[in-house]
Amino acid sequence: MRLEDKVTIITGAGGGMGRTAARMFAAEGARVVCVDVTEEMADSAAADVIGAGGQATAVAADVSRDDQAKRMVEHAVATYGRIDVLYNNAGIMPAADHSVTDTDVETWDKVMAVNVRGVYLGCKYAIPKMLEQESGSIINIASFVAILGCSVPQDAYTASKGAVLALTKSLAVQFAPRGVRTNSISPGPIETPMLMDWLVKDEEAKQLRLARNPTGRFGKPEEIVLAAIYLASDESRWTNGANLVIDGGITVNYF
Ligand SMILES: NC(=O)c1ccc[n+]([C@@H]2O[C@H](COP(=O)([O-])OP(=O)(O)OC[C@H]3O[C@@H](n4cnc5c(N)ncnc54)[C@H](O)[C@@H]3O)[C@@H](O)[C@H]2O)c1
């Protein structure tokens, strides 16, 4: 198995890609710490894994909260004794996020708190343990929107994912000499509740996005998680500071 016994914290494990990641990582032998905002979501993700014969534990934590992010990491260490992978997947994309000219400050701050501060806090508490072990892999989920302009903007979300890309590079340079690699994945539009709950109400927005993608379809959660398995595994031992853009080709499409 590609992730035999690797202790992996997955944030947002109750959602679309996080839940798929928990299941697929466990199937590759990982011991998974399922994190989500509510106990119900974290527990149900862990129950899915255990039901499929994998190893998992659950912890309810809001990744944007200092004390809760610390508790999430402490829970992983108390349960399994180490942290091999921190998979910063939790994120939000609120409907009230538009252009800078009409996005309110509360929405802006909330997006930054979850999507950027959440990644910072996870890293803040997990990296010292990884440095002690002299090994670890951090996987940060950004987005294709971090590397493209968009005429139907979600500026807080876009800026937050740009910050994730920049932070990933800084961590990659700082900690690789001590055995801790950091990489990001920038998914294109993926069929998860985050995107589908929104597009189901707006057929025009859906068709606009499909028309831009050379593959003519949205991605599936497992198509992103396969890249994360690579980054978590020792197969990627010389991959550091990379941003894997997995988007069906949307970002290389001129017309
Ligand atoms: N779906 C897409 O098209 C797409 C594209 C590019 C990037 N992404 C990114 O991929 C990641 C996963 O997104 P998804 O599509 O699976 O979304 P999703 O909404 O299905 O799942 C996100 C999960 O994160 C959890 N979460 C939200 N705030 C949290 C917090 N403060 N603390 C802990 N958990 C929290 C939610 O409860 C949910 O379970 C996100 O970072 C998202 O920005 C998604």
Side-chain angles (χ1 to χ4, degrees):
M1 285 195 276
R2 295 164 76 193
L3 303 176
E4 188 83 56
D5 285 338
K6 284 199 188 287
V7 177
T8 302
I9 298 176
I10 302 178
T11 67
M17 280 189 263
R19 189 174 286 265
T20 301
R23 192 175 36 76
M24 288 175 66
F25 269 55
E28 288 291 349
R31 294 175 284 176
V32 183
V33 180
C34 296
V35 182
D36 214 303
V37 258
T38 66
E39 229 160 76
E40 199 187 348
M41 288 173 93
D43 283 351
S44 78
D48 273 3
V49 170
I50 292 164
Q55 296 185 72
T57 179
V59 55
D62 176 342
V63 293
S64 70
R65 297 272 303 273
D66 192 359
D67 55 333
Q68 297 187 27
K70 185 164 184 269
R71 191 159 49 76
M72 153 187 105
V73 170
E74 285 171 353
H75 175 92
V77 175
T79 309
Y80 296 123
R82 56 184 294 116
I83 304 166
D84 297 296
V85 182
L86 171 63
Y87 190 156
N88 284 312
N89 165 78
I92 58 168
M93 190 180 75
D97 179 18
H98 302 288
S99 170
V100 286
T101 53
D102 55 15
T103 298
D104 58 79
V105 170
E106 291 71 27
T107 301
W108 181 275
D109 287 349
K110 176 76 183 156
V111 171
M112 289 296 166
V114 177
N115 295 8
V116 186
R117 194 199 300 155
V119 174
Y120 144 65
L121 288 172
C123 292
K124 178 181 167 76
Y125 292 113
I127 287 174
K129 183 66 185 168
M130 290 177 168
L131 292 176
E132 191 187 303
Q133 299 164 183
E134 298 181 351
S135 74
S137 172
I138 297 170
I139 303 166
N140 294 330
I141 300 301
S143 170
F144 73 111
V145 300
I147 54 175
L148 283 177
C150 187
S151 56
V152 278
Q154 294 162 296
D155 282 338
Y157 184 79
T158 296
S160 75
K161 294 302 189 178
V164 170
L165 290 186
L167 182 62
T168 298
K169 291 174 197 164
S170 182
L171 302 183
V173 170
Q174 288 176 67
F175 299 114
R178 297 168 67 190
V180 178
R181 299 180 294 107
T182 311
N183 296 284
S184 56
I185 300 175
S186 288
I190 307 296
E191 280 175 7
T192 67
M194 174 181 278
L195 188 66
M196 293 304 135
D197 290 354
W198 173 50
L199 292 184
V200 83
K201 293 176 228 141
D202 192 341
E203 187 57 28
E204 198 186 330
K206 184 176 174 184
Q207 291 309 325
L208 193 64
R209 277 154 187 79
L210 285 174
R212 295 296 303 160
N213 200 303
T215 63
R217 67 171 176 88
F218 295 122
K220 299 186 185 314
E222 53 269 32
E223 290 165 340
I224 300 304
V225 176
L226 285 167
I229 289 173
Y230 165 72
L231 292 176
S233 78
D234 297 338
E235 295 158 24
S236 61
R237 58 191 164 272
W238 207 54
T239 305
N240 183 45
N243 177 41
L244 305 186
V245 180
I246 300 177
D247 66 350
I250 201 167
T251 53
V252 298
N253 187 8
Y254 181 37
F255 280 114

